[in-house]
Amino acid sequence: MRKCCFLWNRGNNGCIICGKILAVLLGVCMVLTGCQGAGEEEKKNSIRIGISLYRGDDIFINNIRNELEEKAKEYEREKGIKVTLDIQDAKGSQNTQNNQVDRFISLGCDVLCVNPVDRMDASVIIDKAMNAEVPVVFFNRQPVEEDMNRWDQLYYVGLDAKETAVNQGKMVVDLYREKPSAVDLNDDGVVSYVLLEGESSHQDSLIRTEWSIRTLKDGGVPIEKITGGIANWERSQASALMEQWLGAYPDKIELVVSNNDDMALGAVDALERAGITGVNVVGIDGTTPGIEAVESDRLLGTVSANKETYANAILELAASRAMGEELPREYPLVDGTYYWAPQEILIRDLGE
């Protein structure tokens, strides 16, 4: 009793005071212990990323998907953090994509990576993400600036469309300057071309069209447009258009400028069916089939995105948001929002 209550000997309320002090000390210990436990629980050992693709059968998007899956495995090995990728195909439907976002949020995804079906309608996705406080990394199809400015947890990874188009035009300009007859096939002083365009509402299609043709003109290539058409990024649609043009303008087409590799390959398909050789076809994206076509001399060239860096930027941005860590310094953001992936010109061997 004496050991227990030293303060009791100093006043009638000694035991009460001693009991209160002990209770306070016990409470402090419990709080400290509780805080330590909470801290340990908050340290994540796994993250879940919801990924919605505008169309899974798009060759470039499929290349990026494959890279994302590989990068997720690398991240797991290097960080010891389990990464679950929930990848869904919107199949060209904005309504389907919106429902996928709802599902991702209901499943507790830490972050969303969205390749928008309709870049003009991204506000619906942003509303859902903001309400749930789930960051979003958009990629490939850039939402309008007004939407991207609505929240500081919105990011975009893609290619600088103007730079891509200038590089595409430069391929033809360089070849023309080195050997005009390799571009002006009939030596009449004019390079007659056709144009294959992506979706009419897609910002990359509009910019690629404008700046590739402007680069040809500024580079001194005497071009004349025969015709053009929208093939919506698709090989089969481009092949059908090219077949029509070859019938309508026999022996006139010398150059095919395509907004992407898939449509460029569609043009090549039509040329090969018709037994026509020598026509220069240029693409954009550096897809696996596109690069193979350059290496086999079926395409003059393509502008290749560094798909490994592209996918890694998406994953690292998403993971940093999911983990509550600083943004990755190796992928610097323009205006704190945009990352432009590096690109390079790939052109066939012109030595022969």
Side-chain angles (χ1 to χ4, degrees), residues 11-271:
N12 293 333
N13 295 327
C15 285
I16 297 174
I17 294 172
C18 180
K20 287 183 178 181
I21 291 175
L22 287 173
V24 169
L25 290 173
L26 285 172
V28 170
C29 290
M30 290 177 68
V31 169
L32 291 174
T33 304
C35 289
Q36 184 177 359
E40 290 173 353
E41 290 176 4
E42 287 174 3
K43 185 177 180 180
K44 289 179 176 290
N45 56 18
S46 67
I47 56 177
R48 187 183 186 97
I49 303 174
I51 302 175
S52 178
L53 310 177
Y54 97 100
R55 265 182 42 197
D57 60 355
D58 182 293
I59 299 298
F60 178 74
I61 294 301
N62 194 45
N63 284 171
I64 296 300
R65 172 184 180 156
N66 293 338
E67 288 289 344
L68 281 171
E69 290 173 336
E70 288 301 313
K71 294 304 174 186
K73 294 175 185 176
E74 289 180 17
Y75 186 91
E76 284 186 336
R77 290 193 296 267
E78 294 173 3
K79 306 285 188 177
I81 304 295
K82 180 175 175 54
V83 180
T84 300
L85 300 183
D86 189 344
I87 303 177
Q88 300 294 319
D89 182 357
K91 298 182 179 179
S93 168
Q94 186 61 61
N95 186 57
T96 297
Q97 188 165 69
N98 292 343
N99 291 335
Q100 289 171 352
V101 169
D102 285 333
R103 176 179 171 276
F104 291 151
I105 291 172
S106 70
L107 290 174
C109 286
D110 300 290
V111 62
L112 308 180
C113 296
V114 180
N115 168 213
V117 172
D118 184 352
R119 62 181 289 264
M120 305 299 291
D121 202 22
S123 59
V124 175
I125 293 172
I126 292 171
D127 285 340
K128 295 175 184 293
M130 289 177 66
N131 289 336
E133 297 185 349
V134 179
V136 185
V137 180
F138 291 102
F139 64 98
N140 179 249
R141 299 157 76 88
Q142 183 182 346
V144 297
E145 186 177 357
E146 291 79 3
D147 283 336
M148 293 299 294
N149 288 338
R150 292 179 56 199
W151 192 30
D152 63 0
Q153 295 299 305
L154 303 176
Y155 307 91
Y156 178 75
V157 175
L159 296 175
D160 185 313
K162 178 181 174 181
E163 179 185 354
T164 302
V166 169
N167 283 335
Q168 184 186 52
K170 189 175 183 297
M171 283 188 285
V172 180
V173 170
D174 290 346
L175 178 58
Y176 181 80
R177 289 176 177 175
E178 180 181 341
K179 188 178 180 181
S181 62
V183 182
D184 182 8
L185 303 180
N186 59 11
D187 292 319
D188 66 349
V190 177
V191 177
S192 301
Y193 76 95
V194 294
L195 179 65
L196 287 166
E197 300 180 69
E199 295 167 82
S200 58
S201 62
H202 195 297
Q203 84 282 358
D204 281 6
S205 180
L206 300 173
I207 295 171
R208 288 176 184 183
T209 294
E210 176 186 355
W211 283 96
S212 60
I213 301 306
R214 183 182 295 192
T215 301
L216 291 174
K217 292 178 179 178
D218 293 346
V221 181
I223 56 174
E224 178 182 54
K225 183 178 179 180
I226 298 175
T227 188
I230 294 173
N232 295 303
W233 311 114
E234 293 188 15
R235 185 169 182 162
S236 59
Q237 290 188 35
S239 182
L241 280 176
M242 190 67 187
E243 189 169 341
Q244 294 174 18
W245 298 340
L246 290 172
Y249 309 98
D251 303 320
K252 289 187 177 181
I253 300 173
E254 299 170 293
L255 171 66
V256 180
V257 179
S258 174
N259 284 171
N260 80 337
D261 285 349
D262 235 25
M263 295 188 297
L265 290 171
V268 170
D269 292 340
L271 288 165

